[in-house]
Amino acid sequence: MKVLCIGDIMGEPGRRAVARAVPRLVAQRQVDVVIGNGENVAGGFGITPELAEELFDMGLAVITTGNHAWDKKEALDYFSRQPRLLRPANYPAGVPGNGSVVVESAGGERLAVLQLMGRAYMPTIDCPFQTAKREVARLKRETLAVIVDMHAEATSEKMAMGHYLDGDVTAVVGTHTHVQTADEQILPKGTAYITDIGMTGPLHSVIGVKKELAIEKFLTAMPRRFEVASGPSVFCAVLVELDARLGKAIAMDRIRILD
Ligand SMILES: [Fe+2]
Ligand SMILES: [Fe+2]
């Protein structure tokens, strides 16, 4: 099975880049399942039901989110109604939505996707490590193919999660920083890992935001309303090849397309 994992999709430029790249990659690389992080699709902040449906229509089977999951209030109900839209599993009990889902490829193979969020320089929520062990054990009763989206700021926290789950899950892929890291690897016990997949959105920007606005905020330390940048875009993803029966990763390819 081949799973394409797309990094944080930022605003309209990100959605356009997905629309362009996904059909091509699915055909050329025989992709079975596409997943992507949609926490920034709605003008950089959050996701709406309409935009989630748009991403599903573009071929995404599962949408993960993160700290921006709750930015659009119209999505709150939708999180509870749409099982393929995830929020981090380590939010406290009672928060709307789900942190994991099991989907099936066209070939009938099952894939579990689990979303976690780190706590270093992030909202303080339940322990992602303890949640991971509990959730992975539960998901593995349904399928051994498990991909974890670890949404976190600190590279160390993401690496720790990769090694903590090494041999237990198929892949741990990082999101949130919007900058792709060049450290894709198969860890010693067989789990594929990358610290951050990177952003899919406007290239000439500060992590997707109009650069002038971000610079002004750094210069003045005053609140600034951020807007998504325009211009050429970058598409960032990884392609995970795996043995779905054993849940083992075979390869991880890093993808970065400029257009
Ligand atoms: Fe993001
Ligand atoms: Fe984030």
Side-chain angles (χ1 to χ4, degrees), residues 1-9 18 22 25-26 31-39 55-56 58-65 84-86 99 101-105 110-115 145-150 170-175 197-198 200 235-240 242 252 255:
M1 184 195 280
K2 285 185 183 172
V3 182
L4 182 70
C5 311
I6 306 167
D8 300 41
I9 303 159
V18 170
V22 166
L25 285 167
V26 166
V31 174
D32 298 291
V33 179
V34 184
I35 69 172
N37 189 296
E39 71 157 5
L55 292 179
F56 289 135
M58 287 183 206
L60 273 73
V62 179
I63 303 170
T64 57
T65 56
R84 294 185 293 122
L85 173 66
L86 303 182
V101 68
V102 177
V103 292
E104 215 168 90
S105 70
R110 286 170 154 202
L111 173 76
V113 181
L114 168 63
Q115 167 134 57
V146 181
I147 292 193
V148 177
D149 175 345
M150 175 62 175
T170 310
V172 175
V173 296
T175 57
I197 301 172
T200 290
F235 175 89
C236 288
V238 289
L239 184 61
V240 181
L242 60 113
M252 175 182 272
I255 295 167

Side-chain angles (χ1 to χ4, degrees), residues 8-10 37 39-40 44 67-68 151 175-178 207:
D8 300 41
I9 303 159
M10 184 82 183
N37 189 296
E39 71 157 5
N40 306 112
N67 52 307
H68 287 295
H151 195 80
T175 57
H176 175 74
T177 70
H178 293 205
I207 63 169

Side-chain angles (χ1 to χ4, degrees), residues 4 13-14 29-30 39 49 80 88 92-93 96 107 109 124 126 134 148 157 160 172 188 206 211-212 226 240:
L4 182 70
R29 313 280 306 257
Q30 289 94 44
E39 71 157 5
S80 304
E109 292 177 308
T124 308
D126 294 349
R134 195 180 60 232
V148 177
E157 198 176 11
V172 175
V206 176
K211 56 186 188 292
E212 295 79 9
F226 281 164
V240 181

Side-chain angles (χ1 to χ4, degrees), residues 65-215:
T65 56
N67 52 307
H68 287 295
W70 320 113
D71 289 357
K72 296 279 181 277
K73 64 177 188 307
E74 57 267 44
L76 283 183
D77 269 7
Y78 187 71
F79 269 99
S80 304
R81 281 187 284 121
Q82 174 49 268
R84 294 185 293 122
L85 173 66
L86 303 182
R87 46 80 171 163
N90 53 320
Y91 266 99
V95 166
N98 300 294
S100 62
V101 68
V102 177
V103 292
E104 215 168 90
S105 70
E109 292 177 308
R110 286 170 154 202
L111 173 76
V113 181
L114 168 63
Q115 167 134 57
L116 299 166
M117 189 160 83
R119 294 192 294 187
Y121 314 108
M122 302 287 282
T124 308
I125 53 174
D126 294 349
C127 175
F129 293 86
Q130 290 179 20
T131 303
K133 275 284 146 129
R134 195 180 60 232
E135 284 296 296
V136 166
R138 192 180 60 80
L139 291 167
K140 284 174 83 173
R141 292 202 287 267
E142 294 188 61
T143 175
L144 295 179
V146 181
I147 292 193
V148 177
D149 175 345
M150 175 62 175
H151 195 80
E153 187 77 47
T155 50
S156 59
E157 198 176 11
K158 293 196 246 192
M159 277 185 192
M161 184 62 78
H163 286 289
Y164 183 63
L165 295 179
D166 186 15
D168 237 9
V169 300
T170 310
V172 175
V173 296
T175 57
H176 175 74
T177 70
H178 293 205
V179 178
Q180 188 176 71
T181 55
D183 64 336
E184 75 278 13
Q185 61 196 282
I186 305 292
L187 298 175
K189 294 180 195 159
T191 294
Y193 173 81
I194 186 166
T195 298
D196 206 296
I197 301 172
M199 176 191 70
T200 290
L203 177 65
H204 302 306
S205 66
V206 176
I207 63 169
V209 169
K210 250 185 202 165
K211 56 186 188 292
E212 295 79 9
L213 301 178
I215 292 168

Side-chain angles (χ1 to χ4, degrees), residues 240-255:
V240 181
E241 191 181 346
L242 60 113
D243 181 323
R245 201 173 44 84
L246 302 175
K248 286 281 168 214
I250 297 163
M252 175 182 272
D253 273 358
R254 184 161 49 86
I255 295 167

